[in-house]
Amino acid sequence: MFARLKGWYGRLPADHMRIAQGAARVAFFLLMGKAVGAFKEMAVAYRYGVSDVVDAYQFTLTLANWLPLTLVGSCSVVLIPVLVRSRHGDRQLHGRFLGELQGWSWLLGIVIALLLAIGWPVVLQVAGQGLSPDVHDMSLVLILAFAPAALFTVWTGLSAARLRAHERHINTLLDSVPALMIMVWVLFASPGAGVLPLLWGTLLGYALQALLVQWLAGRADAMPIRPRLRRQAPQWSSLAAAAGIMLVGQLAMSFVGPIDQYTAARLGHNANATLGYTARLLSLLIGLGAASVGRAALPVLSDVQARGDAAYARTMALKWSVVMLLIGAAVVALGWWLAPWGVSVLFERGAFTAQDTALVAHVLRWGLLQVPFYFGVLILVQLLASQNRYGWMATIAVVNFLIKAWMNTVLAPSMGVAGIMLATSIMYAMSYGCYLGLALKRRPGAASRTE
């Protein structure tokens, strides 16, 4: 069997092989990173349990990371195809572009950090009205780490995009550096240290990650870069407008999580906890499956587009999308059967009872329906990004958000938390249909090529 698989793998066309190899590396790095993150959560639970410290940490982490992660997510999709085209052009212009990107990313990160540090008391007054005074005070201390961490997040995002443009995915493993540092500080801290281990672990972890990814990106580009606050490189013309369009779509999709939390809160009966356990299990499946192929595909498809083989890139993406859709369907069938067992193995101990297992497994089964469409659509997202069709991508994202918000109001009252999961599955099914329709529509002037 393994010999047949090896023979099939060896017959893959070169560009398909690049995606497969990249996806395998990303999946491995993601698995390692998830393991480190799990150990970090175990260390925090061991040290703090369910306490005000953890409440303060989760609140600060979620809200302080929202803006920098949204910016990095939207800009990376636009930036990687530009970097792929740029590195095939004049090296001097490419070096100037990288230097200008570095300068502006540092400035953006500093501005976000200052806004967080100065405006955090206002954030606590608006979004943290239900927090206890102790949690409020601890969050004011933790923002001293999370404000500069915003700078490091933007810095890391640029360096990671540079690496991915070279089809190097080690940054996926380095995403676990902050979790590793937090785990070390928490485990070796004295019992009465309070939030300080979380503060120092966060600050040093994000700083170390930024420096490591920057160093690796410099080695990949193999050219000196001088940061500068200018926009003289010609690559800016194809980047600025597209980044703004993508940011609109990314912002719309970033509100899906808060919408689910709000809907679950209105259901009561620990609906938020049930939703949280389900979401963590689904994120593991989605991360190891679709995210690995999606991250590997964008630089390859962008490179194929840069060579002028637009029709070939389209054919590649459609084939991978069908394969991922079928894999996702198999995951649903297997996951539907194994859901009670998996939830029991992972969570059923202590205060988590057999009744809780049955409830989470029921919700998980409805959430699994999103997996085929998520697997299938992510490769099509990379195709449209490589084609610079950002307006359509932003439009679909906004429509997705509206569908999700509407379906939550329709399904949650009758189905409970399972209705929230079903609404997400419907959203991704609609998204897949939209992206597939755009991908199947051949763009004018795209020359065909046989594989």
Side-chain angles (χ1 to χ4, degrees):
M1 177 181 177
F2 290 106
R4 288 197 298 270
L5 287 174
K6 185 177 180 181
W8 171 83
Y9 182 78
R11 291 193 298 271
L12 282 175
D15 291 312
H16 287 277
M17 182 79 76
R18 289 164 64 190
I19 294 178
Q21 290 174 339
R25 287 193 294 269
V26 173
F28 175 75
F29 292 148
L30 277 171
L31 184 61
M32 297 292 290
K34 294 286 186 182
V36 173
F39 286 127
K40 185 265 288 185
E41 293 295 336
M42 292 168 65
V44 171
Y46 168 77
R47 174 67 67 183
Y48 298 109
V50 179
S51 64
D52 286 348
V53 173
V54 179
D55 283 347
Y57 174 71
Q58 292 294 338
F59 176 86
T60 311
L61 170 69
T62 301
L63 292 188
N65 276 348
W66 174 74
L67 180 57
L69 288 178
T70 300
L71 289 172
V72 168
S74 60
C75 292
S76 294
V77 174
V78 177
L79 183 57
I80 291 170
V82 175
L83 288 174
V84 170
R85 293 191 296 268
S86 177
R87 69 184 180 87
H88 288 310
D90 185 273
R91 282 184 60 82
Q92 184 177 359
L93 289 177
H94 182 57
R96 179 188 300 173
F97 180 53
L98 291 178
E100 292 174 0
L101 278 173
Q102 190 73 77
W104 284 105
S105 69
W106 283 350
L107 179 61
L108 177 62
I110 291 171
V111 169
I112 295 175
L114 290 174
L115 287 174
L116 284 172
I118 296 171
W120 198 248
V122 178
V123 173
L124 285 169
Q125 288 179 4
V126 175
Q129 294 181 5
L131 300 177
S132 69
D134 287 342
V135 173
H136 183 281
D137 293 342
M138 284 186 282
S139 183
L140 287 173
V141 174
L142 285 170
I143 198 62
L144 298 177
F146 280 103
L151 163 62
F152 297 131
T153 298
V154 176
W155 183 356
T156 300
L158 171 59
S159 301
R162 291 167 56 188
L163 281 171
R164 289 177 60 192
H166 288 277
E167 298 176 42
R168 301 183 184 182
H169 304 285
I170 186 65
N171 62 284
T172 302
L173 177 61
L174 295 178
D175 285 344
S176 63
V177 170
L180 178 62
M181 292 298 293
I182 292 170
M183 181 183 70
V184 171
W185 275 86
V186 166
L187 287 177
F188 288 95
S190 59
V195 298
L196 290 181
L198 295 171
L199 185 152
W200 286 110
T202 297
L203 183 59
L204 296 179
Y206 278 97
L208 180 59
Q209 180 192 14
L211 292 172
L212 287 173
V213 180
Q214 167 83 13
W215 175 66
L216 291 170
R219 291 188 60 185
D221 286 312
M223 63 173 59
I225 295 174
R226 184 163 62 90
R228 62 187 78 185
L229 289 175
R230 298 178 183 175
R231 288 180 54 186
Q232 297 178 342
Q235 292 89 338
W236 285 104
S237 60
S238 60
L239 176 63
I245 294 171
M246 275 301 298
L247 182 59
V248 173
Q250 192 74 15
L251 283 171
M253 288 302 294
S254 72
F255 283 108
V256 168
I259 285 261
D260 283 350
Q261 294 293 326
Y262 172 76
T263 306
R266 298 191 64 183
L267 293 174
H269 304 293
N270 302 121
N272 270 306
T274 303
L275 183 66
Y277 284 116
T278 306
R280 281 193 286 274
L281 290 172
L282 286 172
S283 68
L284 178 62
L285 291 173
I286 289 172
L288 293 178
S292 57
V293 176
R295 292 188 186 187
L298 180 55
V300 176
L301 292 174
S302 299
D303 184 52
V304 175
Q305 295 280 352
R307 298 199 308 252
D309 293 332
Y312 178 44
R314 171 178 168 272
T315 302
M316 285 177 59
L318 287 171
K319 288 184 176 181
W320 274 96
S321 178
V322 171
V323 169
M324 294 303 294
L325 187 73
L326 294 176
I327 292 174
V331 170
V332 173
L334 186 62
W336 197 280
W337 177 48
L338 293 177
W341 175 83
V343 175
S344 175
V345 169
L346 290 173
F347 298 131
E348 192 176 317
R349 58 184 57 87
F352 198 100
T353 65
Q355 184 179 0
D356 296 325
T357 294
L359 178 59
V360 172
H362 170 70
V363 176
L364 177 61
R365 282 170 167 165
W366 287 103
L368 283 170
L369 297 178
Q370 70 186 264
V371 172
F373 305 110
Y374 192 98
F375 276 24
V377 79
L378 202 58
I379 192 73
L380 299 179
V381 169
Q382 313 310 315
L383 173 65
L384 264 67
S386 71
Q387 296 173 339
N388 301 328
R389 300 168 81 175
Y390 303 115
W392 280 110
M393 294 172 68
T395 301
I396 293 172
V398 173
V399 171
N400 281 345
F401 169 73
L402 295 175
I403 290 173
K404 170 63 175 173
W406 175 51
M407 294 308 299
N408 269 17
T409 63
V410 173
L411 297 173
S414 58
M415 296 180 62
V417 183
I420 298 176
M421 286 288 104
L422 179 57
T424 302
S425 301
I426 293 173
M427 177 189 74
Y428 280 119
M430 296 290 293
S431 178
Y432 182 76
C434 292
Y435 273 101
L436 183 62
L438 287 171
L440 288 172
K441 184 177 181 181
R442 188 184 298 273
R443 302 188 77 194
S448 61
R449 166 187 163 176
T450 57
E451 297 187 55

